Amino acid sequence: MSQPASTGRAPGKVILFGEHAVVYGYPAIAVPVSQVQALAQAEGGPPGQGTVVHAPDLGRRVVVREAARDDPLATIVRLALEAIRAAPDPDLTVAVRSTVPVARGMGSGASVSTAIVRALAAYYHRWLTSQAISDLVYQTEVLYHGTPSGIDNTVVAFEKPVFFVRGETREVFWVGRPFLLAIADTGIESPTREVVGDLRRRYEAEPLRYRPLFEEAGSIARQARAAIARGSVDELGGLMDRNHALLWQMDVSCPELDRLAAAAHEAGALGAKLSGAGRGGNMIALVTEESCGQVELMLQLAGAVRVLITEVS
Ligand code: PMV
């Protein structure tokens, strides 16, 4: 009898504080978002087919042995098989479904890669630590993003709020009091690699202009981490607003994101900012149980193509 199929899943994520500055070594905070998910299922395939990945939501079917060395889906399969010491190119079909929107700052690449690693590990009855999964997924993030900070793979693999300093700290931390976020999608795809590359060129041309912006964003992330841990949720709104202003000065916002942030405020949100690379993707707003319905409505009226309410806990 053939072995039953094995599944692996992973959440999406949003960056709460410190995007972009995190690439330059300043702290950032990201949280998982379980309303969007990637799911992978591994099962035996016909003899001789090798490993094939079907990812219809990404519009991809990848025959791993024929794929380019830098194909992210083939790469995560190869890395995972090596990590779990399975023979290379086994006859396997890996089906991937994902509701994590692509190129919107919600960690779609990291989520899909994590789900694939988990499905393959389950298929071979191997257990990998969250850190080991995160390290594997980081290698595919390099293919998607160029110079990723590593925050996406960390928060998605650990599925907990993460305080992150590139190359130094990856701390999963506790939330003193749960709080609600509205996540509003501009509907605009924004490839992280391009926005990060553009900011890097501008930073290299004018480091004295950008360095203070990164420093302040990092200091906001530290203050926010302390506030979240002690349950002082009311302090977060102002920190989000200030972080958005800094991102605006980094020129990574856009009129659609600014409009959504303003609409959230008008509807009673306690703070709002873009999340992720910017120039599209998502805006996040701090809401309460009382304000979330009104904020959701106003965000839709202001052009959001989708609004999610998620609890950070
Ligand atoms: O993948 P996104 O859109 O959430 O953005 C990544 C956040 C950046 O700080 C802009 C880049 C990075 O690698 O951390």
Side-chain angles (χ1 to χ4, degrees):
M1 211 180 75
S2 67
Q3 192 184 324
S6 300
T7 56
R9 45 161 293 287
K13 71 101 208 350
V14 287
I15 296 185
L16 262 190
F17 292 100
E19 51 275 271
H20 287 294
V22 69
V23 174
Y24 300 86
Y26 296 95
I29 295 174
V31 298
V33 176
S34 56
Q35 281 89 346
V36 289
Q37 302 246 338
L39 184 74
Q41 176 175 284
E43 63 185 329
Q49 81 153 23
T51 312
V52 178
V53 183
H54 289 282
D57 302 309
L58 306 177
R60 309 241 16 233
R61 179 178 182 278
V62 179
V63 178
V64 172
R65 68 175 160 231
E66 291 167 7
R69 288 310 302 170
D70 61 354
D71 182 286
L73 291 175
T75 299
I76 195 63
V77 168
R78 293 184 188 119
L79 290 170
L81 291 171
E82 205 180 293
I84 56 190
R85 295 196 201 89
D89 204 29
D91 296 324
L92 281 182
T93 300
V94 183
V96 182
R97 300 305 312 237
S98 174
T99 57
V100 187
V102 176
R104 308 291 223 291
M106 291 198 73
S108 149
S111 182
V112 163
S113 297
T114 301
I116 291 175
V117 176
R118 291 198 172 127
L120 289 171
Y123 188 83
Y124 286 97
H125 306 291
R126 295 294 302 266
W127 188 79
L128 295 172
T129 62
S130 299
Q131 186 62 60
I133 295 173
S134 173
D135 290 343
L136 292 176
V137 173
Y138 178 78
Q139 299 186 51
T140 60
E141 289 289 286
V142 172
L143 302 174
Y144 283 115
H145 294 331
T147 53
S149 61
I151 193 167
D152 278 25
N153 46 289
T154 306
V155 65
V156 167
F158 283 88
E159 296 188 62
K160 290 266 172 13
V162 167
F163 178 82
F164 184 90
V165 183
R166 183 177 196 172
E168 279 179 30
T169 317
R170 298 163 174 205
E171 283 169 25
V172 168
F173 68 100
W174 298 109
V175 173
R177 183 151 65 94
F179 55 94
L180 294 177
L181 290 178
I183 305 172
D185 191 341
T186 58
I188 302 169
E189 284 197 12
S190 172
T192 300
R193 192 185 186 109
E194 280 169 29
V195 188
V196 170
D198 174 50
L199 180 55
R200 179 171 293 282
R201 278 186 293 281
R202 286 183 289 116
Y203 163 71
E204 279 165 5
E206 282 183 278
L208 294 180
R209 172 171 168 201
Y210 289 99
R211 194 48 81 181
L213 303 177
F214 298 151
E215 264 166 29
E216 191 180 343
S219 141
I220 286 173
R222 284 189 201 285
Q223 292 170 58
R225 186 220 154 125
I228 293 170
R230 8 170 235 279
S232 306
V233 175
D234 39 342
E235 286 173 37
L236 296 179
L239 293 173
M240 288 171 79
D241 292 340
R242 182 65 200 138
N243 198 166
H244 183 74
L246 292 168
L247 290 159
W248 192 88
Q249 289 176 64
M250 291 173 209
D251 197 18
V252 295
S253 191
C254 64
E256 292 82 358
L257 283 165
D258 294 339
R259 188 159 61 235
L260 290 178
H265 271 292
E266 261 174 59
L270 304 170
K273 64 183 277 293
L274 72 83
S275 172
R279 305 236 174 106
N282 282 281
M283 187 284 312
I284 57 173
L286 181 66
V287 296
T288 59
E289 292 212 0
E290 296 71 44
S291 68
C292 75
Q294 180 70 6
V295 172
E296 187 171 357
L297 192 68
M298 288 288 275
L299 288 171
Q300 280 157 352
L301 291 175
V305 296
R306 174 162 72 161
V307 182
L308 294 173
I309 307 289
T310 193
E311 184 181 80
V312 180
S313 56

PDB file of all heavy atoms in Angstrom, residues 114-145:
ATOM      1  N   THR A 114       7.584  27.368   3.814  1.00  0.00           N
ATOM      2  CA  THR A 114       7.474  26.703   5.120  1.00  0.00           C
ATOM      3  C   THR A 114       6.501  25.530   5.051  1.00  0.00           C
ATOM      4  O   THR A 114       6.762  24.445   5.595  1.00  0.00           O
ATOM      5  CB  THR A 114       7.015  27.727   6.191  1.00  0.00           C
ATOM      6  OG1 THR A 114       7.982  28.768   6.238  1.00  0.00           O
ATOM      7  CG2 THR A 114       6.878  27.089   7.566  1.00  0.00           C
ATOM      8  N   ALA A 115       5.366  25.747   4.366  1.00  0.00           N
ATOM      9  CA  ALA A 115       4.379  24.663   4.237  1.00  0.00           C
ATOM     10  C   ALA A 115       4.993  23.474   3.498  1.00  0.00           C
ATOM     11  O   ALA A 115       4.778  22.306   3.875  1.00  0.00           O
ATOM     12  CB  ALA A 115       3.131  25.177   3.519  1.00  0.00           C
ATOM     13  N   ILE A 116       5.788  23.745   2.461  1.00  0.00           N
ATOM     14  CA  ILE A 116       6.418  22.656   1.696  1.00  0.00           C
ATOM     15  C   ILE A 116       7.404  21.885   2.575  1.00  0.00           C
ATOM     16  O   ILE A 116       7.398  20.649   2.601  1.00  0.00           O
ATOM     17  CB  ILE A 116       7.121  23.211   0.427  1.00  0.00           C
ATOM     18  CG1 ILE A 116       6.073  23.704  -0.580  1.00  0.00           C
ATOM     19  CG2 ILE A 116       8.033  22.161  -0.209  1.00  0.00           C
ATOM     20  CD1 ILE A 116       6.644  24.382  -1.820  1.00  0.00           C
ATOM     21  N   VAL A 117       8.231  22.601   3.332  1.00  0.00           N
ATOM     22  CA  VAL A 117       9.199  21.915   4.210  1.00  0.00           C
ATOM     23  C   VAL A 117       8.449  21.031   5.213  1.00  0.00           C
ATOM     24  O   VAL A 117       8.806  19.869   5.433  1.00  0.00           O
ATOM     25  CB  VAL A 117      10.095  22.924   4.971  1.00  0.00           C
ATOM     26  CG1 VAL A 117      11.009  22.191   5.937  1.00  0.00           C
ATOM     27  CG2 VAL A 117      10.913  23.750   3.999  1.00  0.00           C
ATOM     28  N   ARG A 118       7.376  21.584   5.792  1.00  0.00           N
ATOM     29  CA  ARG A 118       6.637  20.807   6.802  1.00  0.00           C
ATOM     30  C   ARG A 118       5.980  19.572   6.188  1.00  0.00           C
ATOM     31  O   ARG A 118       5.958  18.506   6.802  1.00  0.00           O
ATOM     32  CB  ARG A 118       5.587  21.683   7.486  1.00  0.00           C
ATOM     33  CG  ARG A 118       6.235  22.726   8.364  1.00  0.00           C
ATOM     34  CD  ARG A 118       5.257  23.298   9.377  1.00  0.00           C
ATOM     35  NE  ARG A 118       5.962  24.143  10.318  1.00  0.00           N
ATOM     36  CZ  ARG A 118       5.648  25.390  10.611  1.00  0.00           C
ATOM     37  NH1 ARG A 118       4.593  25.956  10.053  1.00  0.00           N
ATOM     38  NH2 ARG A 118       6.360  26.070  11.473  1.00  0.00           N
ATOM     39  N   ALA A 119       5.441  19.722   4.978  1.00  0.00           N
ATOM     40  CA  ALA A 119       4.791  18.563   4.338  1.00  0.00           C
ATOM     41  C   ALA A 119       5.824  17.481   4.037  1.00  0.00           C
ATOM     42  O   ALA A 119       5.568  16.284   4.261  1.00  0.00           O
ATOM     43  CB  ALA A 119       4.084  19.003   3.054  1.00  0.00           C
ATOM     44  N   LEU A 120       6.999  17.887   3.550  1.00  0.00           N
ATOM     45  CA  LEU A 120       8.031  16.889   3.223  1.00  0.00           C
ATOM     46  C   LEU A 120       8.564  16.227   4.493  1.00  0.00           C
ATOM     47  O   LEU A 120       8.768  15.008   4.533  1.00  0.00           O
ATOM     48  CB  LEU A 120       9.172  17.536   2.425  1.00  0.00           C
ATOM     49  CG  LEU A 120       8.792  17.933   0.986  1.00  0.00           C
ATOM     50  CD1 LEU A 120       9.892  18.753   0.337  1.00  0.00           C
ATOM     51  CD2 LEU A 120       8.494  16.682   0.137  1.00  0.00           C
ATOM     52  N   ALA A 121       8.775  17.034   5.541  1.00  0.00           N
ATOM     53  CA  ALA A 121       9.260  16.451   6.808  1.00  0.00           C
ATOM     54  C   ALA A 121       8.236  15.443   7.337  1.00  0.00           C
ATOM     55  O   ALA A 121       8.594  14.339   7.777  1.00  0.00           O
ATOM     56  CB  ALA A 121       9.525  17.559   7.828  1.00  0.00           C
ATOM     57  N   ALA A 122       6.955  15.806   7.248  1.00  0.00           N
ATOM     58  CA  ALA A 122       5.910  14.887   7.740  1.00  0.00           C
ATOM     59  C   ALA A 122       5.879  13.609   6.897  1.00  0.00           C
ATOM     60  O   ALA A 122       5.722  12.505   7.423  1.00  0.00           O
ATOM     61  CB  ALA A 122       4.546  15.589   7.705  1.00  0.00           C
ATOM     62  N   TYR A 123       6.062  13.772   5.591  1.00  0.00           N
ATOM     63  CA  TYR A 123       6.018  12.601   4.702  1.00  0.00           C
ATOM     64  C   TYR A 123       7.115  11.601   5.066  1.00  0.00           C
ATOM     65  O   TYR A 123       6.913  10.388   5.026  1.00  0.00           O
ATOM     66  CB  TYR A 123       6.182  13.062   3.243  1.00  0.00           C
ATOM     67  CG  TYR A 123       5.972  11.964   2.245  1.00  0.00           C
ATOM     68  CD1 TYR A 123       4.676  11.609   1.838  1.00  0.00           C
ATOM     69  CD2 TYR A 123       7.046  11.254   1.712  1.00  0.00           C
ATOM     70  CE1 TYR A 123       4.471  10.583   0.937  1.00  0.00           C
ATOM     71  CE2 TYR A 123       6.848  10.224   0.811  1.00  0.00           C
ATOM     72  CZ  TYR A 123       5.559   9.889   0.428  1.00  0.00           C
ATOM     73  OH  TYR A 123       5.361   8.868  -0.461  1.00  0.00           O
ATOM     74  N   TYR A 124       8.282  12.138   5.450  1.00  0.00           N
ATOM     75  CA  TYR A 124       9.411  11.254   5.798  1.00  0.00           C
ATOM     76  C   TYR A 124       9.512  11.002   7.313  1.00  0.00           C
ATOM     77  O   TYR A 124      10.532  10.524   7.794  1.00  0.00           O
ATOM     78  CB  TYR A 124      10.724  11.858   5.277  1.00  0.00           C
ATOM     79  CG  TYR A 124      10.846  11.710   3.778  1.00  0.00           C
ATOM     80  CD1 TYR A 124      10.497  12.750   2.929  1.00  0.00           C
ATOM     81  CD2 TYR A 124      11.270  10.516   3.217  1.00  0.00           C
ATOM     82  CE1 TYR A 124      10.583  12.606   1.552  1.00  0.00           C
ATOM     83  CE2 TYR A 124      11.357  10.360   1.841  1.00  0.00           C
ATOM     84  CZ  TYR A 124      11.014  11.402   1.018  1.00  0.00           C
ATOM     85  OH  TYR A 124      11.095  11.253  -0.343  1.00  0.00           O
ATOM     86  N   HIS A 125       8.472  11.406   8.033  1.00  0.00           N
ATOM     87  CA  HIS A 125       8.436  11.203   9.496  1.00  0.00           C
ATOM     88  C   HIS A 125       9.655  11.813  10.173  1.00  0.00           C
ATOM     89  O   HIS A 125      10.266  11.212  11.064  1.00  0.00           O
ATOM     90  CB  HIS A 125       8.337   9.711   9.853  1.00  0.00           C
ATOM     91  CG  HIS A 125       7.195   9.033   9.173  1.00  0.00           C
ATOM     92  ND1 HIS A 125       5.881   9.290   9.492  1.00  0.00           N
ATOM     93  CD2 HIS A 125       7.169   8.145   8.157  1.00  0.00           C
ATOM     94  CE1 HIS A 125       5.096   8.578   8.711  1.00  0.00           C
ATOM     95  NE2 HIS A 125       5.845   7.880   7.879  1.00  0.00           N
ATOM     96  N   ARG A 126      10.036  12.978   9.695  1.00  0.00           N
ATOM     97  CA  ARG A 126      11.168  13.665  10.318  1.00  0.00           C
ATOM     98  C   ARG A 126      10.650  14.923  10.992  1.00  0.00           C
ATOM     99  O   ARG A 126       9.647  15.506  10.572  1.00  0.00           O
ATOM    100  CB  ARG A 126      12.217  14.061   9.270  1.00  0.00           C
ATOM    101  CG  ARG A 126      12.872  12.878   8.615  1.00  0.00           C
ATOM    102  CD  ARG A 126      13.712  12.086   9.610  1.00  0.00           C
ATOM    103  NE  ARG A 126      14.737  12.916  10.229  1.00  0.00           N
ATOM    104  CZ  ARG A 126      15.977  13.015   9.796  1.00  0.00           C
ATOM    105  NH1 ARG A 126      16.355  12.335   8.738  1.00  0.00           N
ATOM    106  NH2 ARG A 126      16.833  13.795  10.417  1.00  0.00           N
ATOM    107  N   TRP A 127      11.337  15.341  12.045  1.00  0.00           N
ATOM    108  CA  TRP A 127      10.921  16.545  12.744  1.00  0.00           C
ATOM    109  C   TRP A 127      12.022  17.574  12.624  1.00  0.00           C
ATOM    110  O   TRP A 127      13.192  17.273  12.888  1.00  0.00           O
ATOM    111  CB  TRP A 127      10.642  16.206  14.209  1.00  0.00           C
ATOM    112  CG  TRP A 127      10.029  17.354  14.926  1.00  0.00           C
ATOM    113  CD1 TRP A 127       8.722  17.741  14.881  1.00  0.00           C
ATOM    114  CD2 TRP A 127      10.696  18.276  15.780  1.00  0.00           C
ATOM    115  NE1 TRP A 127       8.532  18.855  15.646  1.00  0.00           N
ATOM    116  CE2 TRP A 127       9.725  19.205  16.224  1.00  0.00           C
ATOM    117  CE3 TRP A 127      12.010  18.418  16.228  1.00  0.00           C
ATOM    118  CZ2 TRP A 127      10.021  20.256  17.075  1.00  0.00           C
ATOM    119  CZ3 TRP A 127      12.301  19.469  17.073  1.00  0.00           C
ATOM    120  CH2 TRP A 127      11.320  20.371  17.494  1.00  0.00           C
ATOM    121  N   LEU A 128      11.667  18.754  12.181  1.00  0.00           N
ATOM    122  CA  LEU A 128      12.650  19.835  12.100  1.00  0.00           C
ATOM    123  C   LEU A 128      12.228  20.931  13.076  1.00  0.00           C
ATOM    124  O   LEU A 128      11.035  21.230  13.205  1.00  0.00           O
ATOM    125  CB  LEU A 128      12.683  20.422  10.687  1.00  0.00           C
ATOM    126  CG  LEU A 128      13.170  19.509   9.563  1.00  0.00           C
ATOM    127  CD1 LEU A 128      12.954  20.185   8.207  1.00  0.00           C
ATOM    128  CD2 LEU A 128      14.639  19.166   9.748  1.00  0.00           C
ATOM    129  N   THR A 129      13.191  21.538  13.755  1.00  0.00           N
ATOM    130  CA  THR A 129      12.854  22.638  14.675  1.00  0.00           C
ATOM    131  C   THR A 129      12.389  23.844  13.845  1.00  0.00           C
ATOM    132  O   THR A 129      12.712  23.967  12.650  1.00  0.00           O
ATOM    133  CB  THR A 129      14.082  23.075  15.492  1.00  0.00           C
ATOM    134  OG1 THR A 129      15.071  23.554  14.575  1.00  0.00           O
ATOM    135  CG2 THR A 129      14.633  21.942  16.337  1.00  0.00           C
ATOM    136  N   SER A 130      11.672  24.750  14.512  1.00  0.00           N
ATOM    137  CA  SER A 130      11.232  25.971  13.821  1.00  0.00           C
ATOM    138  C   SER A 130      12.441  26.737  13.316  1.00  0.00           C
ATOM    139  O   SER A 130      12.416  27.322  12.224  1.00  0.00           O
ATOM    140  CB  SER A 130      10.428  26.854  14.775  1.00  0.00           C
ATOM    141  OG  SER A 130       9.298  26.161  15.213  1.00  0.00           O
ATOM    142  N   GLN A 131      13.516  26.724  14.099  1.00  0.00           N
ATOM    143  CA  GLN A 131      14.725  27.439  13.669  1.00  0.00           C
ATOM    144  C   GLN A 131      15.310  26.810  12.404  1.00  0.00           C
ATOM    145  O   GLN A 131      15.720  27.513  11.478  1.00  0.00           O
ATOM    146  CB  GLN A 131      15.771  27.429  14.799  1.00  0.00           C
ATOM    147  CG  GLN A 131      16.986  28.269  14.500  1.00  0.00           C
ATOM    148  CD  GLN A 131      16.614  29.744  14.315  1.00  0.00           C
ATOM    149  OE1 GLN A 131      16.082  30.371  15.224  1.00  0.00           O
ATOM    150  NE2 GLN A 131      16.867  30.290  13.136  1.00  0.00           N
ATOM    151  N   ALA A 132      15.327  25.472  12.365  1.00  0.00           N
ATOM    152  CA  ALA A 132      15.879  24.794  11.186  1.00  0.00           C
ATOM    153  C   ALA A 132      15.021  25.121   9.958  1.00  0.00           C
ATOM    154  O   ALA A 132      15.549  25.380   8.861  1.00  0.00           O
ATOM    155  CB  ALA A 132      15.937  23.286  11.425  1.00  0.00           C
ATOM    156  N   ILE A 133      13.703  25.131  10.138  1.00  0.00           N
ATOM    157  CA  ILE A 133      12.806  25.449   9.012  1.00  0.00           C
ATOM    158  C   ILE A 133      13.054  26.892   8.563  1.00  0.00           C
ATOM    159  O   ILE A 133      13.199  27.183   7.376  1.00  0.00           O
ATOM    160  CB  ILE A 133      11.328  25.240   9.416  1.00  0.00           C
ATOM    161  CG1 ILE A 133      11.078  23.759   9.702  1.00  0.00           C
ATOM    162  CG2 ILE A 133      10.396  25.750   8.322  1.00  0.00           C
ATOM    163  CD1 ILE A 133       9.702  23.439  10.261  1.00  0.00           C
ATOM    164  N   SER A 134      13.138  27.787   9.540  1.00  0.00           N
ATOM    165  CA  SER A 134      13.367  29.194   9.226  1.00  0.00           C
ATOM    166  C   SER A 134      14.662  29.371   8.425  1.00  0.00           C
ATOM    167  O   SER A 134      14.706  30.122   7.436  1.00  0.00           O
ATOM    168  CB  SER A 134      13.418  29.977  10.543  1.00  0.00           C
ATOM    169  OG  SER A 134      13.800  31.290  10.321  1.00  0.00           O
ATOM    170  N   ASP A 135      15.721  28.661   8.826  1.00  0.00           N
ATOM    171  CA  ASP A 135      17.010  28.788   8.129  1.00  0.00           C
ATOM    172  C   ASP A 135      16.922  28.281   6.681  1.00  0.00           C
ATOM    173  O   ASP A 135      17.499  28.866   5.766  1.00  0.00           O
ATOM    174  CB  ASP A 135      18.109  28.024   8.871  1.00  0.00           C
ATOM    175  CG  ASP A 135      18.462  28.691  10.201  1.00  0.00           C
ATOM    176  OD1 ASP A 135      18.101  29.874  10.386  1.00  0.00           O
ATOM    177  OD2 ASP A 135      19.072  28.023  11.057  1.00  0.00           O
ATOM    178  N   LEU A 136      16.181  27.196   6.469  1.00  0.00           N
ATOM    179  CA  LEU A 136      16.012  26.687   5.097  1.00  0.00           C
ATOM    180  C   LEU A 136      15.243  27.698   4.251  1.00  0.00           C
ATOM    181  O   LEU A 136      15.610  28.002   3.116  1.00  0.00           O
ATOM    182  CB  LEU A 136      15.229  25.366   5.098  1.00  0.00           C
ATOM    183  CG  LEU A 136      15.908  24.134   5.697  1.00  0.00           C
ATOM    184  CD1 LEU A 136      14.936  22.959   5.690  1.00  0.00           C
ATOM    185  CD2 LEU A 136      17.167  23.780   4.915  1.00  0.00           C
ATOM    186  N   VAL A 137      14.157  28.201   4.853  1.00  0.00           N
ATOM    187  CA  VAL A 137      13.285  29.112   4.102  1.00  0.00           C
ATOM    188  C   VAL A 137      14.020  30.415   3.777  1.00  0.00           C
ATOM    189  O   VAL A 137      13.807  31.002   2.715  1.00  0.00           O
ATOM    190  CB  VAL A 137      11.971  29.354   4.891  1.00  0.00           C
ATOM    191  CG1 VAL A 137      11.127  30.427   4.235  1.00  0.00           C
ATOM    192  CG2 VAL A 137      11.183  28.044   4.997  1.00  0.00           C
ATOM    193  N   TYR A 138      14.916  30.823   4.664  1.00  0.00           N
ATOM    194  CA  TYR A 138      15.693  32.040   4.401  1.00  0.00           C
ATOM    195  C   TYR A 138      16.401  31.953   3.043  1.00  0.00           C
ATOM    196  O   TYR A 138      16.464  32.929   2.294  1.00  0.00           O
ATOM    197  CB  TYR A 138      16.732  32.285   5.513  1.00  0.00           C
ATOM    198  CG  TYR A 138      17.581  33.499   5.228  1.00  0.00           C
ATOM    199  CD1 TYR A 138      17.073  34.778   5.463  1.00  0.00           C
ATOM    200  CD2 TYR A 138      18.856  33.378   4.683  1.00  0.00           C
ATOM    201  CE1 TYR A 138      17.825  35.905   5.155  1.00  0.00           C
ATOM    202  CE2 TYR A 138      19.612  34.503   4.375  1.00  0.00           C
ATOM    203  CZ  TYR A 138      19.091  35.760   4.621  1.00  0.00           C
ATOM    204  OH  TYR A 138      19.831  36.870   4.307  1.00  0.00           O
ATOM    205  N   GLN A 139      16.882  30.754   2.727  1.00  0.00           N
ATOM    206  CA  GLN A 139      17.641  30.603   1.474  1.00  0.00           C
ATOM    207  C   GLN A 139      16.765  30.842   0.251  1.00  0.00           C
ATOM    208  O   GLN A 139      17.245  31.275  -0.793  1.00  0.00           O
ATOM    209  CB  GLN A 139      18.296  29.225   1.426  1.00  0.00           C
ATOM    210  CG  GLN A 139      19.269  29.038   2.577  1.00  0.00           C
ATOM    211  CD  GLN A 139      20.024  27.731   2.452  1.00  0.00           C
ATOM    212  OE1 GLN A 139      20.596  27.432   1.428  1.00  0.00           O
ATOM    213  NE2 GLN A 139      20.004  26.935   3.513  1.00  0.00           N
ATOM    214  N   THR A 140      15.456  30.554   0.375  1.00  0.00           N
ATOM    215  CA  THR A 140      14.578  30.856  -0.769  1.00  0.00           C
ATOM    216  C   THR A 140      14.147  32.323  -0.739  1.00  0.00           C
ATOM    217  O   THR A 140      13.856  32.908  -1.774  1.00  0.00           O
ATOM    218  CB  THR A 140      13.324  29.961  -0.797  1.00  0.00           C
ATOM    219  OG1 THR A 140      12.592  30.165   0.399  1.00  0.00           O
ATOM    220  CG2 THR A 140      13.686  28.519  -0.943  1.00  0.00           C
ATOM    221  N   GLU A 141      14.115  32.912   0.460  1.00  0.00           N
ATOM    222  CA  GLU A 141      13.800  34.340   0.546  1.00  0.00           C
ATOM    223  C   GLU A 141      14.840  35.161  -0.221  1.00  0.00           C
ATOM    224  O   GLU A 141      14.530  36.188  -0.804  1.00  0.00           O
ATOM    225  CB  GLU A 141      13.770  34.779   2.018  1.00  0.00           C
ATOM    226  CG  GLU A 141      12.576  34.252   2.790  1.00  0.00           C
ATOM    227  CD  GLU A 141      11.295  34.931   2.349  1.00  0.00           C
ATOM    228  OE1 GLU A 141      11.078  36.094   2.695  1.00  0.00           O
ATOM    229  OE2 GLU A 141      10.503  34.270   1.629  1.00  0.00           O
ATOM    230  N   VAL A 142      16.085  34.678  -0.214  1.00  0.00           N
ATOM    231  CA  VAL A 142      17.139  35.360  -0.964  1.00  0.00           C
ATOM    232  C   VAL A 142      16.771  35.369  -2.452  1.00  0.00           C
ATOM    233  O   VAL A 142      16.959  36.372  -3.144  1.00  0.00           O
ATOM    234  CB  VAL A 142      18.505  34.664  -0.734  1.00  0.00           C
ATOM    235  CG1 VAL A 142      19.573  35.232  -1.648  1.00  0.00           C
ATOM    236  CG2 VAL A 142      18.921  34.780   0.732  1.00  0.00           C
ATOM    237  N   LEU A 143      16.185  34.276  -2.925  1.00  0.00           N
ATOM    238  CA  LEU A 143      15.808  34.196  -4.343  1.00  0.00           C
ATOM    239  C   LEU A 143      14.623  35.115  -4.655  1.00  0.00           C
ATOM    240  O   LEU A 143      14.551  35.724  -5.711  1.00  0.00           O
ATOM    241  CB  LEU A 143      15.463  32.756  -4.719  1.00  0.00           C
ATOM    242  CG  LEU A 143      16.584  31.738  -4.478  1.00  0.00           C
ATOM    243  CD1 LEU A 143      16.091  30.325  -4.740  1.00  0.00           C
ATOM    244  CD2 LEU A 143      17.780  32.045  -5.366  1.00  0.00           C
ATOM    245  N   TYR A 144      13.683  35.223  -3.691  1.00  0.00           N
ATOM    246  CA  TYR A 144      12.525  36.088  -3.928  1.00  0.00           C
ATOM    247  C   TYR A 144      12.904  37.568  -3.779  1.00  0.00           C
ATOM    248  O   TYR A 144      12.431  38.417  -4.515  1.00  0.00           O
ATOM    249  CB  TYR A 144      11.413  35.796  -2.911  1.00  0.00           C
ATOM    250  CG  TYR A 144      10.594  34.549  -3.153  1.00  0.00           C
ATOM    251  CD1 TYR A 144      10.634  33.486  -2.265  1.00  0.00           C
ATOM    252  CD2 TYR A 144       9.736  34.450  -4.251  1.00  0.00           C
ATOM    253  CE1 TYR A 144       9.857  32.348  -2.458  1.00  0.00           C
ATOM    254  CE2 TYR A 144       8.959  33.319  -4.454  1.00  0.00           C
ATOM    255  CZ  TYR A 144       9.023  32.268  -3.553  1.00  0.00           C
ATOM    256  OH  TYR A 144       8.250  31.157  -3.752  1.00  0.00           O
ATOM    257  N   HIS A 145      13.703  37.875  -2.750  1.00  0.00           N
ATOM    258  CA  HIS A 145      13.844  39.278  -2.329  1.00  0.00           C
ATOM    259  C   HIS A 145      15.217  39.897  -2.547  1.00  0.00           C
ATOM    260  O   HIS A 145      15.369  41.084  -2.291  1.00  0.00           O
ATOM    261  CB  HIS A 145      13.542  39.411  -0.827  1.00  0.00           C
ATOM    262  CG  HIS A 145      12.121  39.123  -0.473  1.00  0.00           C
ATOM    263  ND1 HIS A 145      11.088  39.343  -1.339  1.00  0.00           N
ATOM    264  CD2 HIS A 145      11.561  38.634   0.643  1.00  0.00           C
ATOM    265  CE1 HIS A 145       9.956  38.993  -0.761  1.00  0.00           C
ATOM    266  NE2 HIS A 145      10.219  38.555   0.442  1.00  0.00           N
TER     267      HIS A 145
END
